[in-house]
Structure formats: structure tokens, C-alpha cells
């Protein structure tokens, strides 16, 4: 069996990590696992767990590890993960990085690379204000820099495009920026110390960010 390829994508929300994760998953023929998408999907159900997850997301707070880890394990156990996967939005804090490491150590699997996409705060606020997300497949657009071909509709599946509720809530955005620096920063450091971190300049056109990433990863 070939060694699974496991890539972790980091970047403040709006940096383009989801977009780059999708491109990398397509190039490598492995699944893109977005924890945010899985949580939003779970949150739509009519269960006490869904209501609990909804309240964390709506307030811009991280969902606790006790809820996140079983969700990750369930996704990780599926057949399509055997060749590897791109993890987007997980781990998001040091405790999650350590728990992920424990799961992988037990299986003798190593992380291939952790990728951190950087953008400035000014660029971030302007991007979030114009971000559109497909309600059906989760594809991400930008009204200014990457608009859909038909206004309001997803190019890929024809689904309806909306602004995410937490993208228009300035307080929620501030909470997310603070969380990112306070908590995700520690997870990024964890991978830097293990020589797994690759830093990418995110304030370039999507294709150029992808090109830089492929080049640095040695993917032709
Ligand atoms: P995202 O789509 O990655 O911006 O995630 C949206 C929201 O889902 C976040 O603001 C958190 O409330 C929650 N979330 C996503 N990933 C995680 C994670 N790894 N741990 C805890 N909460 C998460």
C-alpha cells in the first residue's frame, strides 16, 4: 500500500485556504475535508447536537474538541481517505493537533505537509465582505475577484450563492481573527517545530497562489 498523503491547510478565514485545498485535492486525486462544511451540514439537522454546534458557529466560537474529534474520526474512517486527504479547518488549535497526531501515530501514518496561506488583515476584511458561498456544494466565490459566471448561481452545480451569516457580522469576524492568532497560531507553531510547515503568500491571484504552492510542494 502506498503511504497516504496528508496535507493540512492553514490560513485565516478568507485567505483562500478552502479554494486552494479544493485545487490541491483535485490535482492529487484525494478528498478535500472541510471541517467548517461538515459542521455546517451537521448543524442543519434537527438534533440537540446540531443546535449546540449552531450556537458555536453563530457566535464565531470554536466547537469544543469533545464534539469535533468524533466528527473527524467518522470522516477519517471512510474508504476514500485511504490514499490520503487534504484537511481544511482542522486542526485549529494545539489540542486538536496533538489529538490528530495521536490518531496518526497509532496507525503509523505521517503528515506530509502543513501549508499556511498568509494575507493581511485589511485584505481579509475586504475579501470577507464580498465572499459568496454555494448553499449546495460549498464552492466559494468573490463578488469582485472571482465572481460566478451567472450572478447568484454556482458555476459548478447551479446552487444558490449566499453570503455566510458570520461573514457579515463584524463582531463575529473580530472573534474569528482573535481566535486565529491566539489558538490556530499555536497549532501552526506545532508543525513549524516539526519542519512540516510551508508558508505561501496569499495576496496573489488564485492561480498564482496555487502555482507557488505546487512548486514548493514539488508537484508538477
Ligand atoms: P470555517 O468554515 O472553517 O470558517 O468554519 C466555520 C465555523 O465552524 C468556525 O467559526 C467554528 O465555529 C467551526 N469550526 C470549524 N472548524 C473547527 C475546528 N477544527 N474546531 C472547532 N470549531 C471549528
Amino acid at each position: 500500500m502506498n503511504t497516504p498523503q496528508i496535507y493540512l491547510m492553514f490560513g485565516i478565514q478568507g485567505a483562500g485556504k478552502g479554494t486552494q485545498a479544493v485545487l490541491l485535492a483535485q490535482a492529487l486525486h484525494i478528498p478535500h475535508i472541510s471541517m467548517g462544511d461538515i459542521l455546517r451540514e451537521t448543524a442543519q439537522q434537527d438534533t440537540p447536537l446540531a443546535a449546540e454546534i449552531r450556537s458555536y458557529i453563530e457566535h464565531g466560537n470554536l466547537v469544543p474538541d469533545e464534539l469535533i474529534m468524533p466528527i473527524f474520526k467518522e470522516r477519517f474512517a471512510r474508504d476514500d481517505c485511504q490514499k490520503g486527504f487534504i484537511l481544511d479547518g482542522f486542526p485549529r488549535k494545539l489540542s486538536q493537533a496533538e489529538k490528530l497526531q495521536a490518531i496518526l501515530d497509532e496507525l503509523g501514518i505521517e503528515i506530509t505537509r502543513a501549508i499556511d496561506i498568509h494575507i493581511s488583515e485589511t485584505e481579509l476584511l475586504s475579501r470577507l465582505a464580498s465572499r459568496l458561498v454555494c448553499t449546495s456544494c460549498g464552492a466559494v466565490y468573490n463578488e469582485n475577484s472571482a465572481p460566478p459566471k451567472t450572478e447568484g448561481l454556482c458555476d459548478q452545480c447551479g446552487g444558490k450563492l449566499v453570503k455566510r451569516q458570520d461573514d457579515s457580522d463584524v463582531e463575529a469576524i473580530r472573534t474569528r481573527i482573535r481566535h486565529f492568532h491566539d489558538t490556530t497560531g499555536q497549532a501552526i507553531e506545532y508543525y513549524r517545530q516539526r519542519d512540516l510547515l510551508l508558508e505561501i503568500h496569499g495576496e496573489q491571484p488564485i492561480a498564482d497562489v496555487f502555482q507557488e504552492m505546487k512548486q514548493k510542494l514539488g508537484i508538477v
Side-chain angles (χ1 to χ4, degrees):
M1 195 183 88
N2 288 333
T3 318
Q5 300 179 74
I6 300 183
Y7 292 89
L8 313 182
M9 298 294 299
F10 290 102
I12 197 156
Q13 294 93 333
K17 76 174 159 53
T19 305
Q20 296 299 327
V22 168
L23 292 173
L24 190 59
Q26 284 167 353
L28 297 174
H29 308 288
I30 52 179
H32 162 226
I33 300 179
S34 158
M35 186 53 88
D37 286 350
I38 294 177
L39 290 173
R40 275 186 289 280
E41 205 175 294
T42 311
Q44 279 172 18
Q45 295 161 6
D46 187 16
T47 61
L49 172 68
E52 204 180 337
I53 290 177
R54 245 185 340 259
S55 79
Y56 287 107
I57 295 178
E58 280 165 10
H59 293 98
N61 290 323
L62 289 185
V63 177
D65 289 4
E66 305 84 78
L67 303 183
I68 288 285
M69 293 315 293
I71 291 175
F72 169 72
K73 283 185 189 159
E74 191 277 321
R75 181 65 190 85
F76 174 63
R78 291 199 214 157
D79 280 352
D80 66 346
C81 287
Q82 285 195 358
K83 275 173 42 190
F85 45 86
I86 317 281
L87 273 182
D88 167 5
F90 177 86
R92 214 153 173 147
K93 56 200 276 207
L94 185 58
S95 62
Q96 291 179 0
E98 290 169 345
K99 286 172 182 147
L100 172 64
Q101 194 61 42
I103 294 171
L104 298 177
D105 280 350
E106 210 165 288
L107 297 167
I109 300 173
E110 287 181 10
I111 287 166
T112 312
R113 215 78 159 107
I115 300 161
D116 182 19
I117 302 181
H118 280 284
I119 60 164
S120 67
E121 192 163 322
T122 318
E123 174 76 9
L124 167 72
L125 288 170
S126 118
R127 283 189 187 186
L128 287 183
S130 50
R131 175 154 85 158
L132 297 168
V133 183
C134 174
T135 47
S136 300
C137 73
V140 178
Y141 297 84
N142 186 291
E143 284 172 332
N144 308 320
S145 57
K149 291 192 184 99
T150 311
E151 198 182 324
L153 295 180
C154 178
D155 292 351
Q156 288 166 34
C157 74
K160 188 173 165 226
L161 299 182
V162 293
K163 290 201 171 168
R164 262 173 50 178
Q165 201 190 340
D166 53 348
D167 278 351
S168 52
D169 181 337
V170 174
E171 265 321 298
I173 294 174
R174 293 225 169 93
T175 306
R176 279 152 65 186
I177 294 176
R178 206 172 52 236
H179 272 152
F180 186 81
H181 291 304
D182 290 352
T183 43
T184 308
Q186 294 180 6
I188 293 174
E189 231 10 75
Y190 180 89
Y191 296 107
R192 193 195 308 280
Q193 282 167 16
R194 281 161 182 74
D195 268 343
L196 286 171
L197 194 70
L198 183 64
E199 300 192 59
I200 303 288
H201 177 55
E203 286 183 38
Q204 323 176 59
I206 292 171
D208 295 355
V209 175
F210 187 49
Q211 197 52 40
E212 181 184 329
M213 188 165 75
K214 279 200 303 184
Q215 207 169 25
K216 289 188 172 168
L217 288 172
I219 299 168
V220 278

